[in-house]
Each structure stands twice: as structure tokens, then as C-alpha cells.
Amino acid sequence: MLDNKVIGDVLDQALSTGGDFAEIFLEDTRNNSITMIGGIVERTISGREYGLGLRIFNGLNSVYAYTNDTSRENLLSVAKKAAMAIKGTKMDLVLNFQKQEITNAHPIVKIPKDISQKEKVAIMKRAHEVANNYSEEISQVVVNYLDNEQKVLIANSDGKIVEDTRIRTRLPIQAIASKGTEKQSGFHGPGALKGFELYDEINIEDYAKDAAQIATTMINAEACPSGKMPVIIDNAFGGVIFHEACGHGLEATSVAKKTSVFSDKIGEQVASELVTAVDDGTMPNEWGSLNIDDEGNPTKRNVLIENGVLKGYMIDSLNGKRMGMEATGSCRRQNYRFAPTSRMTNTYIDNGSSTPEEIIANTEYALYAKNMGGGSVNPATGEFNFAVNEGYIVKNGKIDRPVRSATLIGRGIDVLKKIDMVGNNLKQAPGMCGSVSGAVPTNVGQPMIRVSEITVGGRKGE
Amino acid sequence: MNLNEFKQKLFEAGEKQGFKDMELYYQRTDSLNVKVFKGEVDNYSVSDSSGLSFRGTLNDKMGYSYTEKIDDSSIEMLVNEAKENAQVIEDKDVVEIFAGSPSYSEFEGYSKELEQLTAEKIIQFAKELEQEAYKLDDRVVSVNMCQVAKSEGEKLIANSKGLEKAAKDNLAYCVVSVVVKEGESVKSDMQFLGTKELKDFDAKKVAKEAVDKATSALGASSIKSKTYPTIIKNTTAANLLATFSSTFTAEAVQKGMSLLKGRIGDEVATSQVTIVDDPLYQKGLMSTPFDAEGVATYTKNVVENGKLNTFLHNLKTARKDGVKSTGNASKASYKGAVGIAPTNMFIKPQSKGYDEMVQSIEEGVIITSLQGLHSGANTVSGDFSLAAAGYLIENGEIKRPVDQITIAGNFFEVLKDIEEIGNDLEFGLPSNGYIGSPSLKIKGIAVSG
């Protein structure tokens, strides 16, 4: 993607004022998106993102610069400008690039750019039809189709040079049910680090039907009662609770500066003994997976919490220096416009021993959060919030009735300790995670879990 | 490559492929961003980036494509992809490339003054800001973010119908976030300042606001669940309005995604409420003389004295409703298709002081922060259930900080339950629009603790 000689000269220029490490991230990405509203294709837009990010370290300080113009002349000028922000003396640099060949652990069968927009629209129509015909109460269906192919080249002053291609596809489906002036929506968005073969492997109709079912169930549901209560959180996207409540607090970005509630807690019991949590970027073809992270390090399976004991963090090289710890293949960025930092990949709570049936049967009263929406957290305080997209009340060991508009709030570290049952039906689900280095694809996952007490906000009083 | 030359080649290639009307939309941004940690610049970031999009009509359907690599190698891709994209469009609404408005405001939103803000000054200010935050209170244990930045941009629309409009804008901002601790209680809060005026860069003032917000929340606890008279603090009210601002766009209305459908002229809020969309607002961060389709912008009341006055339109939705575009066509960037968004939109301030509002409440709450707006608010139904924090009011006085609560309600009901509007207009972080509000006193909101 870029001549080795140019790379060498740019890195050399970047270190000309005394920096101790320089890195190039070059990206050439093809994006494609199609929007269908009410079964009609309204918008399609595709294009090419292209640019280069340059990072220079001097101790714990860093400089970041990016540009779309990758001519040798411009790159040298950008490198010079960036280097001016680093003060020190020049070190002699001899770069010997040994191109690292990586094994692709995530084979792609059908490259999306080889598939016509018409074929993509056909998949969307199938999803639309099923959701739209599900019930008379469905008043609108929005289907989006997304694919992208990101080619990256990462080279640094340690002599590393490596290239990779990441291909992802996704189909977010939103169904809206109406009744009088009220509207409720249901959502599913299957996606993977795969090509168009994704749609041969999954039955898109099932997702569409389920989105419609959530919307119609919720439009006919009563408001959720509020207050502190036990909460059962279902598998798959339910894992967003760990992602937000604890995952962000385990990223070196906040741990290194000691602004996380999990800083300096390795070896401590931070969760119920039933909890083992993992961040694994190597899972074949999963939405959050990568061969190499965005500093060119191979991704890994990182155990974060084992039987409730804090075992590790997700670490990038710069924060790793600050912490005196090794990078864990967790450095990510949305694109070349963002300096990378530690982020999650596929983060999940591992299987326990209870069956989902046992968990429900053993519960006298609880909110059962079957489908979770998004959420957020403040890593400094650990305070989180989530929306429950599909909720039910469990009474005397049985699912009693649907309830809507519930929100869960609490502190991550409290919730982890209050997990008192963990199911055996681990499942992953894709999402987009926004943070300092932009929005990156991540999986969340978990089996069904039960938390003995969470504050539930709803529109109906206690 | 020279942009004019590129345009000519692009339009020629487009014409060969059968495009009738064509447009090039170009954007360039230059920015400098400094982060300071413990007295040192720990991140310094510079960028100069640009990109452009092509769109054109082919058999009356609009095809879009974009690129960030502006050279000959992209021309074929731009035209081919736009063509394939146009061919799958099924929407029958008429789309057009705009020939231009009769006249445009001269106000671009560019501040000459900001050119004086050099890299040295930015670094110095960032250091001061961090120092002030630590100095203000012993309970500040960490300044977990201290960032100062400026950016400057230009955009250009040129089309085959002869329209050619360009504008420049710029902005400087800072964000400081602090973590405070007292006993076991840890709180964190931040202050954002976005401005075009150098005098607003007052380190002491900005730091103090972040520190005051964080420290005043120390020792917070939950409260009993019930419906309380509520003051929603200005920036928090602005965030709530921003979340639901899409319900005012004709796009949401025409797609059946807004409950305001068919309600022009109806009372949708108490009579004190006037919501303005002002693309020519002097202090606005989204000011622009023309929108993403090249239509001249102007100031309008979306809600006037409680009555719904107009939706926000672009050319397509306006034609469909038989009205004129309100100049609210928007593009998130050259990478996006034309949609609709507010520019600088705010609830008009009234005369009530914030303290006066507090004094008027016997038992109630003040909401100073809302979390989960992206997930716990349903823009279609107006329902929200959100994590919140603030203060408890007893006998007209702030009694103590409150956290670990949620508030739930419906945005359209809130608009009708507004009892008083403050004089303290403030804006939230700019995103899809720069949205502001004064503090609002609401009859009652359901709080769960």
C-alpha cells in the first residue's frame, strides 16, 4: 500500500526531534450502506475512506497526526510538523522492515464488493416482508444493510510492518408497532467479520420476526414497576451489562491513569465466584474479532476475571508502558482519524452451570430483561445505565407478563458481586462501542444470569 | 489536484454514464488538539483532512458516492458506484440538484479572532486549566481529561446547474473532567466550552464549573420513589431536547416516526415555550449561510408560544408537503446522504432566575445530569426512562445531592408540563445540531430511587 522506502523516511523524520517510537497506520476502506424504509430503498451510499495516521511517542507523551494525502512530500511535511511537538535530541535510526505475514484466522467466502447492490436489497426485502407481515400492529420497518472492507498497513520504528484486511457485514432491522398514539420498537442487528456468506448461514427471517415480536409484545405491555429488585438478564446482547458496567473500567485507557474503579485490583475478588469474564479477539469470524489489533499486535484471548478474581486488563502499548505491563492485542481505533487506545473486542461472561429454566423456576419475583438496549458508564465511578428493550415480570418461578420502558442503573462493581446464578447458554451478539478512539465493532455475550438486586427505573411506581 | 479540474473531469465522466444533474460536495478540516495529563502534554494531535462526495440524478433517482482519495484514481469509482446506487433506489419522491436561492446571508460563522489562538497558547491554556482544577479543591484526586482544541473548516457545493457556494467556519473548545473523592464517595463531572471568542477561555471559570459540579455531588444518595416537581437544569434540558429534536424533522413525520404528524398549528407545549432554529445565531457553533443542498438558511420558530409552527424541511420533504424548504438539509459529512437536522436550536429564555425557581418548590428535585439518552429514550413514542442525578429541594432550598435514581416520562407530556422557563440559556455539546435550553421547571416527573 505504501513503499518501504517512503515508510522508512517518514518514520525517520518523525523521530528526528528525539521521539523514541513512531508508527504509521495506513488505511484504505470501502464502505457501503443501503437504507430501506417501509420496504422501499430510500438511500444507498458507498465510498472510500483513505488516510494515514502517524503516532510518535516520547516517553509517555504522544503526538498524533493524520492526513488523506499520502504523497511522499506531504507525508514528510506532516511527520516534520508532528515531530516539532516532541522536544529532545535526535537518535540515530536504522529501520529494517521484516514484513510479518499473518495467518488469516477469519476466512471470507463472498467478498461484499463483488455482490451487486440488487442482491443485497433482496436480503433486505426478505427481512422487511417478514417483519411487516408479522402483525397488523407493525406500522413501520426500517432495514439497513452495511458492509465494509478495511485494508490496513501498520509499520513502526521497531521494524514492524504488517498488513491485514477486515471485512464485516451487518443487517440492522428495526420494527415499530403502533397503537393509538403509542409506538414501541423492536431491534435485531446480526453481523459478523464475514462476507456476504453471512446470509447463507443465518436465517434473516428469524431475526426480522423476532424484532417484530418484541415491538408488538411491548406495545401491549404495561409499564414496568420501579424500585430495587432481582433481575434476570438473558444471554447474547444481555452481555452489554458486563461490557458497560465492567468492561470499560478494565481498559488500560482508564486503568493506567488510575481513574478506574478497577485500578490496582489485580488478584482481588471483584465479582461473585460464579463470574469468569473474557475478552477474546481471536474468535473465528466474530464481529469484534481481528487478526491483528490496530498497532499490529496479534489479538489474544484475555481472561479478565476468573471465578470472581481480577486477572487482567485490556492493554495497549502506550498505557502498558505507564502500567509496566505487556500489551494484550487490544489496541483499536475507528479509523486513521483516531489515535488508537485499549478497547474491547468480543467480551463475555463465560458459561456457568445453571440451565435457563432452573434460573427462572428458582426465582420468586424479578424483572426478566430478555432483550437489552444500549447503555453507558462513567468508568471513574462505575455508575452505569441500560435500557431494557423487552422485559417481563417473573413471578413464582414463571414468566408472568410483559413490561416496558425499564431502565437498569447501578455501579458495575456492586452488580458483579450480586450475580447469584449463571446459566449455561452462552451466546454472542454484535454491537458498536463508542469511546475515545471512535466507534468500533464489538461483541458482547453471556449466558442467562441473575443479579440479586438492581435499581429498576420505570414509569409505574412501586 | 485542483478541485475545479477534478470537478470537470468528474462531471464529464458522469455525463458519459447517463447522469443528468450532478453535484460535488467538498469538505476540508484542519484541527489541532492538545491533551494534558499531570502538567505535561500527553497527547498532541494535528490533522488536515478532506473528502468529497458526488451525487447525481439518473432516471430521476439520486445516486451517492464519496472518496477521501482525491485524485484521478477515484473518478471512475465515484461515478460507477453512484450509478449502481441510483439504480436500486425505489423511493418515488422527487429529488433535485438545486440551482440556488435568490440571496444568501453574508454571515458565515467564521471568527477572525480565533486565528490568534496559536499552538503555544492552546498548550498554555490546557496546562492552566488542569492546574486550576487541582488547585480549586483538595478533594480533586484526578483530572482525568483536560483537552483543548481548535478546528477550522471549509465546505464547497458546486453543481451542474451552476450553483457554486463556499463557506468557512471555525471553532475552539475545551473539555475538563475531574474525579473527586471524599471518604468512600467518588464523583466525576466535566465542563465543556465551545466558542468563537477568546475571552471565554477563562481557565479558572471553566475549571471551577467542573469542580463545583463534581464536589457538590459528593455524598449523594438515592431518594424515595415518587412524582416530584422538578427543575431540569439548562444543559440537561438541552440534552433532552437534542435527543428528541428529530421529531421536529419532516423526514421523521413523513416516515411515521414522529407523533407530531398532522399537528401543525396545535398546542404541543405550554404557551411560554418558543423553540427557535437559528442558523445565523452569532454564538452558534452550527451557523451556516446555506444548507447541505445549497438552500439559503434563515431563522424560524419551530414552536411559537406553545403552538407547532413548522417542521424542519429539506427540498425533498418540502416538495412532498407542498411547502418551501426551511434550509435544514444536513449532511453529517461528505460521507452521508442528505437528511434533515436542526442548526442552532434552542428554547427561548424567559425571565425566571434559577434560584427563584428553586425557592418556589417546597419538595422537589433538580436534575443536573441524564445518562442513557441514546438508549433509554424512544424518539418515536417520546417515552424516556433515564439514569439521573441532581439535588433534592426541601422548603425552597437545595438540601443534598441525589444519585442512583431514574426519571421516567414522556417528552411531549414534559413540554405540556413546563411551568416556568429560566433566563439561563446554555447549549449542550454540538452533535446533530447545536441545541440549547434555559432551566425548566416541570410540574412533576416520576422519580425512582
Side-chain angles (χ1 to χ4, degrees):
Chain A
M1 291 168 80
L2 201 61
D3 187 68
N4 275 10
K5 177 78 173 64
V6 176
I7 293 172
D9 290 350
V10 171
L11 292 174
D12 201 17
Q13 180 69 264
L15 297 182
S16 62
T17 55
D20 50 40
F21 174 86
E23 172 197 75
I24 279 172
F25 178 86
L26 176 65
E27 165 177 20
D28 193 351
T29 296
R30 303 294 286 263
N31 287 320
N32 177 35
S33 77
I34 310 175
T35 303
M36 177 181 282
I37 305 177
I40 289 173
V41 178
E42 290 255 339
R43 263 198 304 276
T44 56
I45 184 157
S46 48
R48 183 177 185 190
E49 284 181 58
Y50 178 87
L52 180 141
L54 174 69
R55 206 157 55 129
I56 313 172
F57 295 169
N58 184 20
L60 295 176
N61 300 329
S62 76
V63 172
Y64 193 72
Y66 66 85
T67 179
N68 311 112
D69 180 353
T70 54
S71 65
R72 180 191 154 85
E73 191 190 18
N74 184 60
L75 290 181
L76 288 174
S77 133
V78 168
K80 193 172 178 183
K81 248 197 263 174
M84 293 308 284
I86 294 262
K87 288 185 192 88
T89 44
K90 182 181 164 39
M91 296 188 304
D92 283 322
L93 177 74
V94 180
L95 290 175
N96 178 21
F97 292 120
Q98 298 270 336
K99 186 154 183 176
Q100 295 179 5
E101 290 303 332
I102 54 167
T103 333
N104 182 12
H106 315 283
I108 305 290
V109 185
K110 296 181 176 172
I111 310 285
K113 74 168 182 239
D114 297 340
I115 308 286
S116 74
Q117 296 289 67
K118 284 199 175 109
E119 272 181 79
K120 293 169 185 173
V121 169
I123 300 284
M124 300 169 77
K125 293 238 155 148
R126 279 168 48 197
H128 169 82
E129 285 304 310
V130 170
N132 195 46
N133 295 333
Y134 179 81
S135 145
E136 296 216 321
E137 286 167 333
I138 296 294
S139 60
Q140 186 61 282
V141 178
V142 180
V143 183
N144 277 290
Y145 171 92
L146 307 160
D147 65 51
N148 69 5
E149 175 177 330
Q150 184 194 36
K151 286 189 182 145
V152 299
L153 177 150
I154 298 157
N156 66 33
S157 55
D158 295 339
K160 171 177 284 186
I161 181 161
V162 59
E163 287 185 44
D164 195 20
T165 299
R166 295 107 176 226
I167 289 181
R168 288 191 175 86
T169 48
R170 197 174 186 205
L171 200 82
I173 306 164
Q174 189 189 23
I176 295 164
S178 301
K179 203 171 171 181
T181 59
E182 293 184 338
K183 290 181 193 288
Q184 287 289 321
S185 63
F187 176 83
H188 267 298
L193 184 72
K194 282 184 184 170
F196 203 65
E197 70 272 19
L198 172 68
Y199 305 103
D200 300 334
E201 294 161 11
I202 62 169
N203 189 3
I204 201 68
E205 280 87 354
D206 292 347
Y207 290 92
K209 190 176 152 194
D210 205 41
Q213 180 262 317
I214 295 170
T216 46
T217 307
M218 288 302 108
I219 196 84
N220 293 301
E222 57 183 80
C224 186
S226 60
K228 290 189 172 70
M229 63 185 81
V231 176
I232 295 168
I233 304 169
D234 214 345
N235 65 356
F237 204 73
V240 72
I241 192 144
F242 184 82
H243 173 101
E244 295 291 357
C246 311
H248 281 294
L250 294 170
E251 292 168 340
T253 317
S254 53
V255 176
K257 292 184 178 173
K258 303 202 191 292
T259 54
S260 164
V261 286
F262 292 104
S263 295
D264 300 322
K265 286 212 162 82
I266 294 271
E268 283 185 33
Q269 188 84 31
V270 295
S272 142
E273 284 173 9
L274 300 173
V275 175
T276 291
V278 179
D279 182 80
D280 185 356
T282 69
M283 300 172 88
N285 295 99
E286 285 294 345
W287 177 246
S289 296
L290 295 160
N291 287 309
I292 47 165
D293 73 358
D294 289 336
E295 349 185 67
N297 293 323
T299 51
K300 286 188 194 159
R301 179 178 189 273
N302 294 307
V303 176
L304 305 171
I305 294 172
E306 195 169 20
N307 303 325
V309 176
L310 185 65
K311 290 284 175 182
Y313 304 113
M314 288 159 282
I315 308 171
D316 59 287
S317 62
L318 182 60
N319 284 305
K321 277 211 277 185
R322 191 168 266 137
M323 295 158 76
M325 290 172 84
E326 286 288 311
T328 57
S330 309
C331 193
R332 306 187 67 187
R333 52 179 130 203
Q334 180 177 328
N335 56 37
Y336 67 89
R337 291 166 188 268
F338 294 86
T341 190
S342 52
R343 301 287 295 272
M344 287 176 260
T345 59
N346 305 300
T347 316
Y348 60 91
I349 295 179
D350 213 347
N351 265 326
S353 57
S354 307
T355 66
E357 295 74 26
E358 273 167 15
I359 296 177
I360 300 218
N362 274 298
T363 304
E364 219 172 280
Y365 182 86
L367 168 68
Y368 167 35
K370 188 164 192 308
N371 261 292
M372 302 283 286
S376 63
V377 68
N378 179 340
T381 62
E383 289 166 331
F384 66 74
N385 68 87
F386 300 94
V388 178
N389 281 359
E390 183 185 8
Y392 299 86
I393 292 295
V394 168
K395 227 168 140 178
N396 303 322
K398 288 200 175 76
I399 295 171
D400 186 60
R401 60 185 192 277
V403 288
R404 70 192 204 194
S405 300
T407 295
L408 306 183
I409 63 165
R411 288 189 181 87
I413 211 151
D414 298 337
V415 164
L416 281 183
K417 288 183 176 154
K418 287 180 180 164
I419 294 176
D420 63 1
M421 286 185 98
V422 176
N424 60 2
N425 58 339
L426 169 63
K427 202 178 160 195
Q428 303 278 325
M432 292 303 291
C433 166
S435 185
V436 283
S437 63
V440 298
T442 57
N443 258 6
V444 297
Q446 67 171 36
M448 180 187 278
I449 62 165
R450 190 175 76 178
V451 185
S452 61
E453 187 184 88
I454 300 187
T455 300
V456 176
R459 292 202 62 187
K460 193 174 153 188
E462 272 165 299
Chain B
M1 180 190 270
N2 175 314
L3 210 55
N4 204 24
E5 204 179 295
F6 186 87
K7 180 187 83 177
Q8 271 168 15
K9 283 188 183 173
L10 181 65
F11 286 3
E12 270 166 35
E15 209 171 330
K16 275 190 198 139
Q17 289 291 341
F19 281 98
K20 195 172 145 239
D21 300 327
M22 289 167 282
E23 178 188 273
L24 178 148
Y25 181 92
Y26 167 85
Q27 234 178 351
R28 186 184 67 82
T29 312
D30 232 339
S31 68
L32 173 64
N33 193 320
V34 171
K35 284 183 198 160
V36 164
F37 186 68
K38 292 196 172 151
E40 279 198 70
V41 175
D42 96 308
N43 190 288
Y44 181 98
S45 164
V46 285
S47 73
D48 179 1
S49 68
S50 57
L52 62 83
S53 65
F54 169 70
R55 61 179 190 139
T57 51
L58 191 90
N59 300 324
D60 296 329
K61 306 289 184 211
M62 189 73 82
Y64 281 87
S65 58
Y66 63 86
T67 185
E68 289 176 345
K69 196 170 171 80
I70 304 174
D71 65 13
D72 283 343
S73 75
S74 290
I75 287 182
E76 195 188 318
M77 178 223 100
L78 284 171
V79 172
N80 289 348
E81 296 209 355
K83 186 178 176 179
E84 201 191 345
N85 289 337
Q87 283 166 342
V88 293
I89 298 282
E90 297 165 328
D91 184 19
K92 296 211 166 47
D93 294 344
V94 179
V95 283
E96 62 179 299
I97 298 282
F98 187 60
S101 296
S103 66
Y104 292 87
S105 165
E106 302 231 322
F107 176 70
E108 283 185 273
Y110 182 82
S111 156
K112 193 86 183 144
E113 192 189 319
L114 282 191
E115 286 173 12
Q116 296 165 31
L117 195 61
T118 58
E120 289 67 35
K121 281 186 188 157
I122 285 177
I123 291 170
Q124 191 199 341
F125 180 74
K127 287 183 175 172
E128 258 178 58
L129 189 57
E130 191 194 39
Q131 263 173 20
E132 287 296 340
Y134 276 114
K135 247 189 353 208
L136 274 164
D137 201 302
D138 289 345
R139 294 170 295 180
V140 174
V141 291
S142 159
V143 176
N144 56 340
M145 160 114 96
C146 182
Q147 182 179 165
V148 183
K150 75 163 184 172
S151 76
E152 188 178 307
E154 60 175 323
K155 59 182 172 183
L156 169 107
I157 298 181
N159 66 35
S160 59
K161 281 187 158 173
L163 174 75
E164 188 155 334
K165 290 294 296 176
K168 265 168 81 176
D169 61 40
N170 58 1
L171 144 84
Y173 69 87
C174 65
V175 188
V176 62
S177 170
V178 299
V179 181
V180 298
K181 191 170 182 212
E182 188 172 51
E184 282 306 292
S185 181
V186 177
K187 286 284 162 192
S188 132
D189 217 320
M190 55 105 91
Q191 179 67 20
F192 167 84
L193 168 78
T195 183
K196 294 179 191 275
E197 293 178 51
L198 292 177
K199 69 166 171 47
D200 290 342
F201 272 33
D202 178 340
K204 215 171 232 160
K205 192 171 165 231
V206 178
K208 189 171 187 311
E209 289 186 28
V211 172
D212 281 353
K213 281 197 267 185
T215 51
S216 68
L218 281 166
S221 55
S222 194
I223 44 170
K224 210 172 148 263
S225 302
K226 70 175 193 185
T227 297
Y228 292 88
T230 300
I231 295 169
I232 308 180
K233 195 81 197 287
N234 49 14
T235 47
T236 308
N239 292 341
L240 193 65
L241 176 63
T243 303
F244 290 100
S245 65
S246 68
T247 56
F248 295 102
T249 69
E251 203 165 39
V253 174
Q254 292 177 1
K255 297 295 171 212
M257 315 273 273
S258 167
L259 286 179
L260 294 176
K261 186 173 188 160
R263 301 200 56 202
I264 296 277
D266 285 3
E267 295 267 352
V268 296
T270 43
S271 63
Q272 301 176 58
V273 178
T274 292
I275 304 176
V276 189
D277 178 70
D278 185 0
L280 307 171
Y281 184 58
Q282 288 289 336
K283 291 185 164 189
L285 298 184
M286 292 281 179
S287 299
T288 177
F290 57 90
D291 72 2
E293 293 178 309
V295 174
T297 57
Y298 65 95
T299 305
K300 74 223 69 112
N301 292 338
V302 179
V303 171
E304 192 166 302
N305 303 326
K307 283 200 178 101
L308 183 64
N309 207 20
T310 180
F311 296 121
L312 302 175
H313 282 282
N314 60 17
L315 288 169
K316 180 172 120 175
T317 61
R319 185 186 281 258
K320 200 167 181 176
D321 278 7
V323 296
K324 280 201 163 153
S325 170
T326 57
N328 286 91
S330 83
K331 266 190 192 189
S333 79
Y334 48 81
K335 284 186 256 182
V338 169
I340 302 175
T343 59
N344 307 304
M345 182 171 167
F346 54 92
I347 296 178
K348 240 186 172 169
Q350 308 285 344
S351 56
K352 265 288 179 262
Y354 171 69
D355 293 338
E356 252 182 290
M357 277 191 199
V358 174
Q359 282 155 19
S360 72
I361 293 175
E362 204 169 301
E363 190 197 26
V365 295
I366 303 168
I367 301 296
T368 56
S369 97
L370 289 173
Q371 300 298 320
L373 282 160
H374 65 300
S375 54
N378 183 331
T379 53
V380 177
S381 65
D383 286 344
F384 59 81
S385 176
L386 303 162
Y391 308 98
L392 175 70
I393 304 173
E394 270 180 22
N395 304 318
E397 275 175 36
I398 293 177
K399 181 83 178 169
R400 66 172 175 86
V402 170
D403 69 356
Q404 293 294 306
I405 59 167
T406 68
I407 63 166
N410 184 285
F411 176 69
F412 301 105
E413 287 168 27
V414 167
L415 286 180
K416 290 207 153 180
D417 285 348
I418 294 174
E419 287 185 331
E420 279 169 0
I421 296 178
N423 58 9
D424 53 348
L425 174 64
E426 283 275 353
F427 285 76
L429 259 71
S431 62
N432 193 29
Y434 186 50
I435 316 283
S437 176
S439 297
L440 306 174
K441 184 180 159 191
I442 317 292
K443 204 184 290 167
I445 287 188
V447 174
S448 310

